[in-house]
Amino acid sequence: MASSQLVGSSPTTADLCDMYVTSPSRLTVAQPGYFKDYGGIKAFSGRIETVKCFESNPMVRSTLGESGEGRVLVVDGAGSQRVAICGDMLAQMGSDNGWTGIIVNGCIRDSAVIAKIPIGVKAINTHPLKSAKTHQGERGCTVAFAGVEFVPGMYIYADEDGIIVSENELIVD
């Protein structure tokens, strides 16, 4: 299985849970129903990169502007539902730069356009108001929400059934 994207005949998160739930790989599952799917790709995976920001997204933009190399950007927006942390331009930038997914603990906007972009996007909700551009935020830090710790360099697997995180890449024989 390619570590950069769950597609086609790759195992689902349910299959991976069945195979690894008793593994020492420290598999954790995000709280069910916490996120909604918005991206053009519903199943995606890769190494985790993180950004922590509150209602301001310059660090999200600069991170997605770099080569993603099959990674997934996990953004901790502190669960704010007062502005959107990511819109169609950032989702397109991520897709163009090789990111496989974006997971936002907060809101996104331009959801109809994002649904057509070949990138996985999960978020709490949508909001039409864009974020401020006043605070950079932090990158590469451990963030925790939805009952999971997201650590840069760990692996994330996401699909319509949920999100799982593992310390190690999950290999399927």
Side-chain angles (χ1 to χ4, degrees):
M1 180 177 98
S3 65
S4 63
Q5 193 170 20
L6 272 174
V7 292
S9 62
S10 297
T12 64
T13 55
D15 291 337
L16 290 170
C17 283
D18 290 349
M19 289 183 262
Y20 286 97
V21 75
T22 59
S23 166
S25 294
R26 191 173 168 242
L27 182 74
T28 55
V29 179
Q31 176 184 331
Y34 193 86
F35 297 101
K36 298 175 186 170
D37 284 306
Y38 294 103
I41 295 175
K42 301 300 181 209
F44 56 97
S45 63
R47 280 191 181 265
I48 295 171
E49 178 59 77
T50 63
V51 167
K52 185 175 185 178
C53 58
F54 183 71
E55 298 182 357
S56 184
N57 72 355
M59 186 62 69
V60 175
R61 175 177 293 282
S62 66
T63 303
L64 291 171
E66 299 174 4
S67 176
E69 301 170 348
R71 291 176 293 167
V72 175
L73 181 60
V74 177
V75 180
D76 186 359
S80 173
Q81 295 192 53
R82 299 187 319 176
V83 299
I85 293 294
C86 180
D88 62 334
M89 294 189 322
L90 292 183
Q92 186 65 60
M93 179 187 297
S95 176
D96 292 346
N97 289 329
W99 294 85
T100 59
I102 306 166
I103 297 175
V104 181
N105 183 27
C107 293
I108 62 144
R109 66 189 213 154
D110 307 312
S111 60
V113 176
I114 289 174
K116 298 174 185 166
I117 298 172
I119 190 169
V121 177
K122 288 182 178 281
I124 294 174
N125 216 331
T126 59
H127 198 293
L129 182 62
K130 68 181 177 180
S131 74
K133 311 293 183 235
T134 54
H135 305 292
Q136 280 297 312
E138 298 175 60
R139 180 173 172 180
C141 54
T142 298
V143 297
F145 52 87
V148 175
E149 273 192 346
F150 299 91
V151 180
M154 289 177 62
Y155 291 86
I156 192 163
Y157 301 84
D159 64 15
E160 300 90 339
D161 287 340
I163 297 170
I164 59 177
V165 175
S166 175
E167 288 180 356
N168 304 306
E169 183 176 13
L170 302 180
I171 304 298
V172 179
D173 296 329

